[in-house]
């Protein structure tokens, strides 16, 4: 069932694991001979893949010398690195069954167990373990942070808010993330209770006045409540704080009562006022022009932007799509041949500073690693004009 090479690798890693565990044990000066024997027996059971027997021996060693708890954690870490998550989970479960476990050891075992459950895809068990840990140690910032990330993945925003509130109270930090979580909660409640959504967005705005996210939520809930003027001013405040929102969220200005021509001219003035954000505002302007039935003018606008910034691939993509949609006449297509050639390439204009993954649209939370406020415009991709013309 195993190929020879697989078996060799398996045996080699297991041997290294056992050796390291042994070295850890024997390097402790206070380790008695009996404890060493128990460890040796434990490691032998590890090798023969009998976790329960291994644990019994390792426990005996641990009773002889409390400092050897570290060895359990080292062993679990090795198992984890080998991909043997079930083993690491078993070790922690068994450890937690021991009566009179020192408080910090228990806490650490619970945290590692919760994280291993999460890595194994057992989200419910991970949740239960985090809840138990936090009921015993409500101010454990490491656990609060890890649990919040799990809740974010599960999109349980209301519990994530509660956990983050505790984190803020404990560490005095994290108001920015709390504001984001309140906004996510508002997004969920908006369709059924726009007033509640508005209240959540207002609270988020008070917590983090510089963030664009609460302004977007204020605008959306104002729209849901039919308050167009409030929506307009909240949208302008959102775009002031985060211009990258312009191409998508900025178009809500039309829902808030602006005509396409009014929106297009406002985007144009913003593009001029903020030279560094000219790209996203020009994209938004082009979209407003299209909605106003002025596709040809939209193409001109984008082409002018591309003359200044040839590497602005989103504009290239937008021009290409407009041409394909059949707006301008056939003869124009020849002039834009290089644009059409690049249409097949993915435009990943945003990069996460935490995980380095790239994404096509701006978002407050990284879709890859879950970090908040880490997406930014990627350095402009070199556009190879010569290759496009070839
Ligand atoms: Zn990321």
């Amino acid at each position: 069932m195993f190929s020879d090479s697989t078996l060799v690798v398996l045996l080699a890693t297991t041997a290294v694991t056992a050796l390291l565990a042994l070295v850890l044990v024997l390097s402790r000066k206070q380790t008695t001979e009996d404890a060493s024997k128990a460890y040796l027996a434990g490691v032998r059971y590890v090798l023969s893949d009998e976790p329960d027997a291994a644990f019994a021996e390792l426990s005996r060693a641990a009773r002889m010398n409390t400092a050897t708890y570290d060895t359990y954690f080292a062993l679990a870490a090795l198992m984890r690195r080998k991909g043997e998550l079930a083993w690491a989970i078993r070790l922690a479960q068994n450890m937690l069954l021991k009566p009179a476990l020192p408080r910090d050891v228990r806490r650490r075992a619970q945290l590692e167990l919760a994280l291993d459950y999460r890595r194994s895809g057992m989200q419910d068990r991970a949740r239960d373990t985090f809840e138990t840990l936090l009921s015993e140690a409500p101010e454990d910032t490491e656990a609060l942070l890890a649990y919040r990330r799990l809740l974010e993945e599960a999109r349980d925003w209301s519990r994530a808010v509660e956990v983050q509130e505790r984190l803020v109270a404990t560490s005095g930090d994290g108001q920015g993330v709390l504001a984001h979580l309140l906004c996510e909660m508002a997004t969920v409640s908006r369709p059924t209770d726009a007033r509640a959504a508005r209240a959540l967005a207002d609270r988020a705005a008070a917590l983090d006045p510089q963030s664009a996210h609460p302004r977007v939520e204020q605008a959306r809930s104002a729209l849901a409540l039919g308050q167009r003027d409030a929506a307009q001013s909240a949208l302008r405040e959102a775009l002031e704080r985060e211009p990258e929102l312009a191409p998508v969220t900025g178009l809500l200005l039309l829902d808030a009562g602006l005509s396409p021509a009014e929106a297009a001219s406002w985007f144009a003035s913003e593009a001029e006022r903020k030279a560094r954000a000219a790209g996203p505002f020009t994209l938004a302007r082009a979209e407003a022009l299209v909605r106003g039935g002025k596709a040809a003018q939209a193409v001109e606008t984008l082409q002018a932007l591309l003359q200044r910034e040839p590497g602005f691939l989103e504009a290239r993509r937008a021009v290409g799509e407009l041409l394909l949609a059949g707006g301008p006449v056939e003869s124009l297509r020849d002039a834009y041949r290089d644009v059409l050639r690049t249409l097949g390439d993915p435009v990943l204009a945003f990069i996460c500073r935490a995980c380095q993954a790239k994404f096509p649209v701006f978002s407050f939370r990284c879709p890859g690693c879950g970090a908040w406020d880490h997406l930014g415009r990627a350095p402009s991709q070199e556009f190879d004009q010569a290759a496009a013309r070839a």
Side-chain angles (χ1 to χ4, degrees), residues 21 44 54 77 120 124 131 184 192 203 282 341 353 355 360 364:
R44 214 173 289 130
S120 313
D124 288 350
E131 290 288 351
E184 297 291 348
T192 51
R203 201 187 140 201
T282 305
R341 275 178 205 280
R353 289 190 305 278
C355 71
F364 293 108

Side-chain angles (χ1 to χ4, degrees), residues 239-240 243-244 267-283 305 308-309 312 377:
L239 269 47
E240 176 70 32
E244 297 294 355
F267 288 134
S269 67
E270 288 299 288
E272 207 159 301
R273 190 166 71 83
K274 292 185 178 157
R276 286 183 62 206
F281 278 115
T282 305
L283 284 176
L305 175 66
R308 291 196 308 274
E309 292 183 52
F312 197 73
R377 190 159 278 280

Side-chain angles (χ1 to χ4, degrees), residues 312-390:
F312 197 73
L313 295 182
E314 290 148 289
R316 219 161 258 288
R317 162 66 54 96
V319 171
E321 280 170 359
L322 282 170
L323 292 175
L324 284 182
V329 288
E330 189 66 27
S331 61
L332 267 179
R333 294 196 183 197
D334 282 343
Y336 293 107
R337 260 186 28 219
D338 65 321
V339 169
L340 291 170
R341 275 178 205 280
T342 57
L343 258 188
D345 305 337
V347 179
L348 302 173
F350 297 93
I351 186 165
C352 170
R353 289 190 305 278
C355 71
Q356 308 301 317
K358 290 186 170 182
F359 302 96
V361 288
F362 173 83
S363 61
F364 293 108
R365 181 172 181 266
C366 171
C369 72
W372 291 101
D373 296 321
H374 273 70
L375 245 59
R377 190 159 278 280
S380 172
Q381 283 161 277
E382 269 311 307
F383 177 66
D384 192 342
Q385 304 245 18
R389 273 195 296 269

Side-chain angles (χ1 to χ4, degrees), residues 70-93:
D70 281 349
T71 316
Y72 282 99
F73 289 119
L75 190 58
L78 284 166
M79 288 306 186
R80 197 173 296 121
R81 237 171 290 151
K82 270 179 61 185
E84 302 272 0
L85 282 175
W87 242 104
I89 286 172
R90 190 85 73 96
L91 270 174
Q93 282 172 334

Side-chain angles (χ1 to χ4, degrees), residues 128-140:
D128 291 346
T129 310
F130 273 124
E131 290 288 351
T132 308
L133 197 176
L134 289 171
S135 68
E136 292 170 18
E139 301 196 335
D140 187 322

Side-chain angles (χ1 to χ4, degrees), residues 248-319:
V248 179
T249 316
L251 274 297
L252 285 175
L253 281 170
L254 302 181
D255 298 330
L258 251 58
S259 71
E262 287 168 336
S265 92
W266 185 71
F267 288 134
S269 67
E270 288 299 288
E272 207 159 301
R273 190 166 71 83
K274 292 185 178 157
R276 286 183 62 206
F281 278 115
T282 305
L283 284 176
R285 183 187 172 200
E287 180 60 26
L289 287 168
V290 170
R291 302 236 188 144
K294 298 188 168 157
Q297 204 185 329
V299 171
E300 276 169 36
T301 303
L302 292 166
Q303 197 62 8
L305 175 66
L306 282 171
Q307 263 156 20
R308 291 196 308 274
E309 292 183 52
F312 197 73
L313 295 182
E314 290 148 289
R316 219 161 258 288
R317 162 66 54 96
V319 171

